[in-house]
Amino acid sequence: MTQHDAIAILDFGSQTTQLIARRVREAQVYCELFAWDAPPEHVLALRPKGFILSGGPAGVYEPGAPTLPGYVLDSGLPVLGICYGMQLLAHGLGGQVAATPRREYGLAQVEPLSDAPLFAPLREQTQVWMSHGDRVERVPPGFDILLRSANSPVAALGDPRRAYYGVQFHPEVAHTPAGREILRRFAVDVCGCAPTWTPAAFVEEAVGAIRTQVGDGRVVCGLSGGVDSAVAATLVHRAIGDRLTSIFVNTGMLRQGEPQQVVHTFQTHMGMSLVALDATEAFLSALEGVSEPEQKRKIIGTQFVRLFEQEAARLGAVEFLAQGTLYPDVIESAAPDRPTARRIKTHHNVGGLPEDMELKLVEPLRYLFKDEVRAVGEALGLPEEIVWRQPFPGPGLAVRILGEITWERLETLRAADAILLAELRDAGLLHQETQQAFAVLLPVRTVGVMGDNRTYDAVIALRVVTTEDFMTADWARLDHDLLARISSRIVNEVAGVNRVVYDVTSKPPATIEWE
């Protein structure tokens, strides 16, 4: 879809490969992510001006380990290898890679051994993030050692004549402060990419792509009220006008006051053609007795699609369904276009869609990260309360109730969640300071004492995280008095709850949602 200079990133299985793409795009350079063994014609169709080889868990000498595709070096384009990518580049060009006597995980200090412009941000000793068990023992012919650390004599290498570079550390993670500038310099200075990838440019291209895909057809859009579906609907509306009908489904699993808020915002404030459906009974009936999270997601995905198909049939000749699917959804669902990825969980709007779905998908945000979507929303002129709204999963409270879903349990969770959000809002922490906050109803009961009487009631877990991209996240260090106030209100105001706990797990190893 791009008309921009671009970088092709080959994914060798690193957990942070997606962050490489995000950092390159932050430098306003377009890039796409490909499996390392993707067909060459797919990668080269991007007309890249350079390649980045990601890290990965394998060793270059292991049987069946990913290899360096021949077209990368045959292209004559610049190459930057990261961790496994550097080892692969060195191994393929005649260097030597071996297991290090001491593995290197976490923070390390590197020092420059040359004045290579690419590594100018690394002055004297600089902090980087390492994660490797192998290292380059001998550099290939034509290469120089550019950086070293205490445990990696070759922390970076380069052959400026061919514009081949490698780093043993991970420049994409926040723990390497100079990493963003290194990636920017590689994309812009070494590869010669013009930094033209901006939200405004994306809007123009996305609108054109939607018009090309849809033609004279009509589209229905699943609108949840969140920023993802709102931006997707606005892009489609800008592309095809009144040939879009947005459909808002009240599943019965929304947050307190949400159905009324969504209808008011998009019907009244934004003037969109909106059909509001109350399908509470249908969803609860389909989910009756179901506790397994993957099954929940697939049931909900099927119910959504069937409703959209019914509404599309009522509206007339509608061929397309627009959704606010994001890049992390695709990655975590291990979609078919990323065959080497492992499935973490099925997202109802990716892997949870029924195979016999009649509508064709329009997903203009499919390869954007959340922060990019917010920037596009601002470029489209969407209200701040939509752009910075707390994310809410498509299945709603269904994946925040662990175990069976009943109306009583939904009402319990709704009330607890509303208290959490209200207290965070009053403390000025609800939007840009914390990126996602919600309550979870656990499938356990615990003993408590209320009014000198024994209770045996439900447990609410609170989850509040900070994150830049939703691929990694950390738990928010909320003030203890604030946590105490939230806990006290929930226990006193929500019937059937006698205990509140706070989730202090980062992502990874946990996901942000509990299911």
Side-chain angles (χ1 to χ4, degrees):
M1 63 172 278
T2 179
Q3 301 174 353
H4 303 271
D5 294 340
I7 299 293
I9 302 170
L10 300 190
D11 182 5
F12 290 90
S14 170
Q15 294 298 310
T16 58
T17 301
Q18 297 78 32
L19 286 179
I20 303 172
R22 187 172 176 276
R23 300 303 182 218
V24 173
R25 291 186 188 180
E26 284 177 351
Q28 298 186 339
V29 173
Y30 185 72
C31 61
E32 288 188 17
L33 191 62
F34 300 91
W36 69 271
D37 56 352
E41 60 271 19
H42 290 183
V43 182
L44 296 175
L46 183 65
R47 291 186 293 178
K49 299 195 75 171
F51 294 93
I52 296 178
L53 315 177
S54 85
V60 295
Y61 293 113
E62 292 178 10
T67 57
L68 181 61
Y71 67 83
V72 172
L73 300 182
D74 291 344
S75 71
L77 296 171
V79 180
L80 172 63
I82 295 174
C83 198
Y84 180 80
M86 177 179 102
Q87 296 164 11
L88 203 58
L89 187 64
H91 175 64
L93 290 170
Q96 182 180 352
V97 178
T100 177
R102 180 184 173 190
R103 296 188 176 192
E104 198 169 22
Y105 294 106
L107 295 177
Q109 298 289 322
V110 296
E111 59 176 317
L113 299 178
S114 80
D115 58 356
L118 183 61
F119 300 112
L122 299 173
R123 303 179 188 278
E124 299 179 352
Q125 286 207 346
T126 308
Q127 174 185 296
V128 299
W129 183 264
M130 295 282 194
S131 179
H132 65 100
D134 294 340
R135 68 186 186 186
V136 175
E137 297 285 352
R138 187 182 70 247
V139 300
F143 280 78
D144 295 318
I145 302 173
L146 304 179
L147 300 171
R148 70 181 175 192
S149 73
N151 197 48
S152 294
V154 185
L157 51 76
D159 178 351
R161 183 178 60 83
R162 291 181 288 181
Y164 292 164
Y165 295 93
V167 292
Q168 185 60 72
F169 55 89
H170 287 271
E172 69 272 23
V173 303
H175 298 296
T176 302
R180 299 184 188 198
E181 178 61 14
I182 291 171
L183 290 171
R184 188 202 68 79
R185 286 179 179 233
F186 176 74
V188 176
D189 299 340
V190 176
C191 297
C193 292
T196 59
W197 174 248
T198 63
F202 173 81
V203 168
E204 181 180 350
E205 291 180 9
V207 167
I210 293 165
R211 286 174 179 156
T212 299
Q213 180 184 2
V214 173
D216 295 327
R218 299 181 65 189
V219 181
V220 292
C221 178
L223 188 63
S224 69
V227 62
D228 306 337
S229 61
V231 171
T234 306
L235 285 169
V236 175
H237 187 260
R238 183 168 292 191
I240 66 171
D242 59 8
R243 287 185 286 125
L244 166 72
T245 299
S246 293
I247 301 174
F248 170 68
V249 179
N250 181 359
T251 63
M253 291 170 282
L254 300 176
R255 290 174 289 196
Q256 200 172 81
E258 206 151 34
Q260 299 84 353
Q261 179 192 23
V262 170
V263 171
H264 173 77
T265 298
F266 290 92
Q267 236 176 17
T268 306
H269 179 74
M270 300 188 67
M272 283 190 183
S273 175
L274 178 67
V275 175
L277 303 175
D278 188 346
T280 300
E281 290 187 15
F283 275 86
L284 289 180
S285 176
L287 289 164
E288 186 176 357
V290 177
S291 297
E292 204 281 320
E294 284 292 281
Q295 192 177 358
K296 285 183 189 177
R297 288 176 176 273
K298 290 183 178 180
I299 288 171
I300 290 167
T302 299
Q303 288 292 316
F304 268 118
V305 169
R306 296 306 175 225
L307 281 170
F308 295 149
E309 288 175 343
Q310 291 171 20
E311 192 59 29
R314 189 188 69 79
L315 291 170
V318 177
E319 301 174 61
F320 299 93
L321 168 64
Q323 293 190 137
T325 306
L326 301 192
Y327 207 4
D329 301 338
V330 176
I331 294 162
E332 290 188 343
S333 295
D337 50 356
R338 296 192 72 245
T340 59
R342 294 181 180 176
R343 173 165 291 151
I344 298 170
K345 59 186 177 185
T346 297
H347 289 261
H348 81 285
N349 55 346
V350 186
L353 297 176
E355 294 181 3
D356 61 346
M357 185 177 75
E358 297 176 2
L359 298 170
K360 301 171 186 175
L361 287 177
V362 177
E363 297 176 310
L365 312 178
R366 187 176 177 84
Y367 293 102
L368 292 190
F369 295 100
K370 177 72 76 172
D371 61 312
E372 293 179 306
V373 174
R374 294 196 195 282
V376 170
E378 290 177 334
L380 288 166
L382 289 174
E384 182 177 345
E385 60 268 23
I386 293 176
V387 172
W388 290 103
R389 184 174 179 264
Q390 286 275 339
F392 191 58
L397 300 182
V399 292
R400 294 177 179 175
I401 291 179
L402 275 59
E404 185 179 0
I405 299 163
T406 66
W407 182 253
E408 181 182 12
R409 298 190 80 204
L410 282 164
E411 288 288 85
T412 297
L413 181 57
R414 239 189 295 272
D417 190 73
I419 290 170
L420 169 64
L421 297 182
E423 289 291 339
L424 289 175
R425 185 181 298 109
D426 289 347
L429 298 174
L430 188 57
H431 295 299
Q432 299 185 36
E433 291 75 15
T434 60
Q435 283 66 57
Q436 195 157 354
F438 55 90
V440 180
L441 181 58
L442 304 187
V444 295
R445 298 168 72 190
T446 67
V447 173
V449 179
M450 301 179 77
D452 294 328
N453 293 315
R454 177 186 186 274
T455 61
Y456 192 53
D457 286 334
V459 180
I460 289 288
L462 306 179
R463 179 74 157 148
V464 185
V465 302
T466 59
T467 178
E468 291 186 352
D469 48 44
F470 291 83
M471 292 305 302
T472 61
D474 196 10
W475 58 279
R477 272 63 170 177
L478 297 183
D479 178 78
H480 289 184
D481 289 339
L482 174 60
L483 283 172
R485 188 163 59 250
I486 294 168
S487 173
S488 177
R489 283 196 60 191
I490 290 174
V491 170
N492 283 282
E493 298 176 30
V494 182
V497 175
N498 69 359
R499 192 178 299 269
V500 176
V501 299
Y502 190 52
D503 184 345
V504 293
T505 319
S506 62
K507 173 188 180 181
T511 55
I512 293 177
E513 296 288 345
W514 277 46
E515 286 193 343

